[in-house]
Amino acid sequence: MRKNILIILSTLLLLAIPDLWAKEKGTVSALFKIRRIGNSNYISLYDLINNFKFENTFDIISRRGKLYYRSHRVVYRVGYSYILADDTLIKSEYPVIQNRGEIFLPILQAEKIAALLFPALKTERSKGSLIVLKRTRRKRTGDIKIRGSKGLKDKIDFIIVDPGHGGKDPGAIGRGRIKEKVITLKIAQKVARRLKRRVGGVKIRLTRRRDRFLELSARTDISNRYLKKDNNGIFISIHVNASLSGRISGFETYFLSQNPTNEDARNTAALENNVIVLEDHKGKKYGDIDYIEAMMMTTQIQKESSMLASEIQRGMRRKIKRFKSRGVRKADFYVLRGSLMPAVLIEVGFITNRREARYLTKNSYQEKIAAGIVDGVIRFIKKYYKTIKK
Ligand SMILES: [Zn+2]
C-alpha cells in the first residue's frame, strides 16, 4: 500500500514541478505536498526520505524512527512533539503522527530539519506545497541549542542547585524525626554560597530558597528555562537517602539511566520518585519530557552527566573520611529526566543511620559535604570548559 501511495505522490510531484519552475526564480530541488490533518499542516515523512535519500530505521514497538543523512541524524517518535536533529531539539505545537500507516511531520519541524541539514537550501510554502529551493540565505531557528559534541565549550553560564523535596513533601524521615527536606536545603545553600565564591561570572541558582513544595517537573523546567537564555549549565539535585536497615551508611552520586546499577539503585530511585503522587497532574504531558530524556540517553549529555557524577563523588570522598563512598551509580530519577544539560543527583548520606543522621544535621559536616561537591563541580568545569574565572 505504501508503494502505491509513493507512486501516486511522485507522479503528483512531477506534474506540479513545471508550474513552479515558471513561478519561482530560484532552482526548485524538491516539492512536498502539504497535508492538512486535524488542525495542523503536515509533510509526509516518506516524501522526505525519498527525496533526500535518507537512510532510515523505524522501531514498530516504540514507534521511534531515525533518519540519517551523511553525518546528520534525526530522531523522531510518533505521538511526540519533539524531534532531535543532530544536537538541536526542534519543538512543535503538534506531534508527529501516523495516519493509515504513513508517518507525517508537522510542517514547521520539516522546514527546520531541512534548514539544519541542508544549509544550502531554503524552503517556501506555496499553493499547498512546501518548495525546497537552492539557498539564498540561512534562516536561524529559535530552538534550544543542546550544543555540539565536539571540543570544549566556551564557558559555563549557570549552575542550578536543587534542594530535594520541600513543603508538603518532607522527603525521607529519619532518626529523631529529622526531615530530608531540611538537610537538603541547608547543604544546597552552602553549595550555592561556595560556588558563588569560587566561580566568577556564573549564575548560581537554587530551585527553592525556602521550605516550599516544588513539583519534580518544575525543577527541571527552571533549569531548562535558563538553558534557553544562556547556553551552558549544569544541574545538581541534593538528597538524603533512607534504608530499611539502620546499618547502611555512606554517600553516592547518581546520573540518569534507564538501566539502574542494581536493586539498591532502583529502590533509591523509587523512593525519590514517590513525590509524584503528591503532585497535581491535571493537563500535564509527561510524554514529551520522557521523550527528551530518551533522546538525551543517546547524546553527549549522558556522558557528561556521568563525568560530573564521578568528579562530585571524588570531591566528596576527599573531604569525607567518616562515612564510606558508595560510588557513582545509574538510576532512573524523575527529577533528572527532563534535564537538557549534564545533571546529577547526590545522596549525601543515610538519614536512617543513627550516626550519619547526627552528622548530617551538623553545620560543620554539611560544610564538608558542600566543599566536596563544589570541588567536584569545579574539576568538571575545568575539564569541559575553556574559560573559568577563579
Ligand atoms: Zn530525596
Side-chain angles (χ1 to χ4, degrees), residues 13 16-17 19-21 23-34 43 48 51-52 107 110-111 114 121-134:
L13 288 181
I17 284 174
D19 175 48
L20 277 150
W21 271 93
K23 190 172 166 282
E24 300 288 335
K25 285 211 175 93
T27 314
V28 175
S29 31
L31 182 143
F32 302 101
K33 186 167 170 47
I34 299 173
I43 296 292
L48 288 173
N51 184 80
F52 293 115
I107 188 162
E111 286 168 333
L121 301 176
K122 91 175 189 151
T123 55
E124 268 178 29
R125 295 182 201 182
S126 168
K127 283 189 180 169
S129 296
L130 180 69
I131 309 155
V132 181
L133 299 152
K134 288 268 158 64

Side-chain angles (χ1 to χ4, degrees), residues 89-126:
L89 198 60
I90 301 174
K91 289 173 69 172
S92 162
E93 257 186 89
Y94 303 95
V96 174
I97 58 165
Q98 197 165 14
N99 193 4
R100 294 179 188 171
E102 203 177 345
I103 292 167
F104 295 90
L105 307 183
I107 188 162
L108 264 165
Q109 287 177 315
E111 286 168 333
K112 284 176 176 175
I113 290 170
L116 260 157
L117 268 48
F118 310 105
L121 301 176
K122 91 175 189 151
T123 55
E124 268 178 29
R125 295 182 201 182
S126 168

Side-chain angles (χ1 to χ4, degrees), residues 164-165 169-172 180-181 184 237-241 268 271-273 333 345-347:
H165 312 275
D169 168 26
E180 175 180 359
K181 65 173 184 179
T184 59
S237 195
I238 294 172
H239 289 258
V240 181
N241 220 333
T268 304
L271 192 74
E272 301 296 2
N273 291 341
F333 285 109
L345 186 145
I346 308 163
E347 295 281 0

Side-chain angles (χ1 to χ4, degrees), residues 150-164:
K150 288 170 214 113
L152 289 173
K153 289 165 258 175
D154 284 342
K155 64 180 178 51
I156 182 149
D157 300 290
F158 64 94
I159 299 171
I160 307 280
V161 185
D162 173 46

Side-chain angles (χ1 to χ4, degrees), residues 64 255-259 290-303:
R64 184 185 303 183
F255 64 97
L256 184 75
S257 168
Q258 286 166 326
N259 312 303
D290 289 346
Y291 181 49
I292 302 176
E293 175 267 327
M295 292 189 299
M296 292 312 105
M297 308 300 294
T298 64
T299 70
Q300 186 72 2
I301 301 219
Q302 193 186 12
K303 211 166 88 193

